[in-house]
Amino acid sequence: MTSVALKIAAVTLAGGVVAVGVVPALIDWSSLRPGIERTATAAVGWPVTVAGPISARLLPDPGVTLGRVTVGAAGFERVRLDLGLWPLLSGRIALTGVELSGGRLGGGIGLDGRIQLGEIFAADGRFDGGFTAHGRLSVGGVELPVEAEGGRPGGGATVPVRATLTLPGAAGGSARIEAAVGERQAHGRVWLELGSLARALPGAALPDLPLTGEGRLVVTGEEAAVQGITLTLGQSRAGGELVAALGRAPVAVDLSLRGGSLDLDQAPAAPAPAPSSPAAAASSPAAPAAVPPLALAAAPAAVLRLPLPGNLTFNLDLGAESVRWRGGMVRQPRLNALLDGGVLTISRFSAQLPGATGLDFNGQVTVEADGPAATGRLRLVSADPPRLRAWLWPGGGGAGSWPASARLDATLEARPDRLTLAPLTLGLDTLQMSGSLTWTEAVSARLTARGLQFGFDGEPGAGLGAGRLTLRGPSYAEAVRLLAPEYRPGRDGALDLSARLTADAAGPGFDDLSLTAGEARLIGQIRFPADGPPRARLAGGEVRLDPFLPSETRITPLARLVPRPGGGSGAAAGE
């Protein structure tokens, strides 16, 4: 070959390389959009649209990039399809990989990942090879690793697929799927394994036991369902069904779960120590199983806080016969709710709590920047409030037996740093009150009963144990009748009481006490020690007792306690 021929061959080869590398970038691939959408729709069984740009390249690795791809109710910002070079040169199209970016699967769930394919040929939408996939599923800002594999053995009618989703957090665990995927349908099973319910939901006083679940998976072009769900927590079982309508937005999901007698107080059995010898094993009594605390004492774990997605409609129907929790029995708990447009509407949450207490709530729950918020109406009727208090605040002590019955009907507004009941109606035995209650770092209450106005402004962090209280009204007789219904004094008058409620080692009491009842006025301090009768230090002017006694009992002399020197007024001091 002459040098001229060699030069011509070199120029021709170089031109071919340039053409292969440059020409694809100059072609308007958008003209292939209808064919791509038609072929992809036939292959996956759901409508596929490509709204963004389409580009392709041949070297160094052939591939096609699609922008803004929608598959049914899901969408992707970018989809890259990798093609086999040698099959392409021989006139065949073989997929070797798929890369997904900016995925939106519906319900606030995102997906980014890479699918590595074997010799999978796009012929009549049939898959004639195997694949492996790895990626990240994003739920509420939390990334969950995903791995999957599958293939069509011998070119059969179905593709066996296995996928694993790793759950985050200290509890660990995973969700697994094994299914046979055919044309527009899939059948298989799903499994859930959670290492510890207590570590998954720290601070909720739940058992440190693994939670497992499984069910039958059925997927068609119209819906995906997990049937015959069985959830197991120790010796407790619950069952139900989950159904999701596919191919439309918003995605509609129905979840129904029912349980019998669930025990959230059960503890794992302690492993028995290995005996040192057969004789020792025979003679040693079995050690009792250790019962760990329900709340974790270790460093606080990260809490998974899921947002309420805006493009998902979720119907919840949850219930059980009874739930043992915190040493008490909650009977007939039931939740009916709808999640739509990012708002969870609770049509009814009801339960029978300890203390013969009925609880009902309906309202709405949203998730804002600072956390979840709830509004709604709360109703509570208790035939045994002391028992209810003992269950809610175990070890509180000193709760007493009053009241014997209680009723609460209030509009509730709850945020992470604030709880408000306003307006509220509160009944304690025969006493009926109305007003408002706010609980932030401190408690603030405003209540009215029988013309009396009660106020309390607690100190931050002290709950109801310390704060400034007031009691005012046109009749001190009405105030006394709250404790002694038959009280009828000879005369009546206005009441104005203010004091600082305290609780310390000396017992609860009232400091900075100021009391005006009719024409009488006292100031001082009262203590209620646990080991003796009340003690008081009071001072005041002239106090007439006859207005406070029944009309048939009259005391004519003035009551003068310790006289003050040099004045006509008197002072009273006693202990």
Side-chain angles (χ1 to χ4, degrees), residues 251-311:
V251 177
V253 180
D254 294 307
L255 175 62
S256 175
L257 289 176
R258 286 290 182 274
S261 297
L262 307 181
D263 188 355
L264 299 184
D265 284 348
Q266 58 186 310
S276 57
S277 67
S283 60
S284 299
V291 180
L294 295 180
L296 295 181
V303 178
L304 176 63
R305 297 174 63 180
L306 299 180
L308 299 181
N311 55 346

Side-chain angles (χ1 to χ4, degrees), residues 178-195:
E178 291 187 5
V181 181
E183 186 176 356
R184 301 193 180 187
Q185 63 179 356
H187 298 271
R189 296 195 69 82
V190 296
W191 292 268
L192 170 67
E193 297 178 358
L194 191 64

Side-chain angles (χ1 to χ4, degrees), residues 113-183:
R114 173 77 183 174
I115 303 174
Q116 188 67 38
L117 302 173
E119 287 290 309
I120 296 183
F121 296 94
D124 300 325
R126 293 179 60 83
F127 292 91
D128 293 322
F131 74 91
T132 60
H134 58 86
R136 301 180 308 276
L137 190 68
S138 175
V139 182
V142 178
E143 292 189 351
L144 311 176
V146 181
E147 295 183 357
E149 62 179 358
R152 182 191 295 275
T158 60
V159 178
V161 174
R162 295 174 296 277
T164 300
L165 177 70
T166 302
L167 303 179
S174 64
R176 297 185 294 115
I177 297 176
E178 291 187 5
V181 181
E183 186 176 356

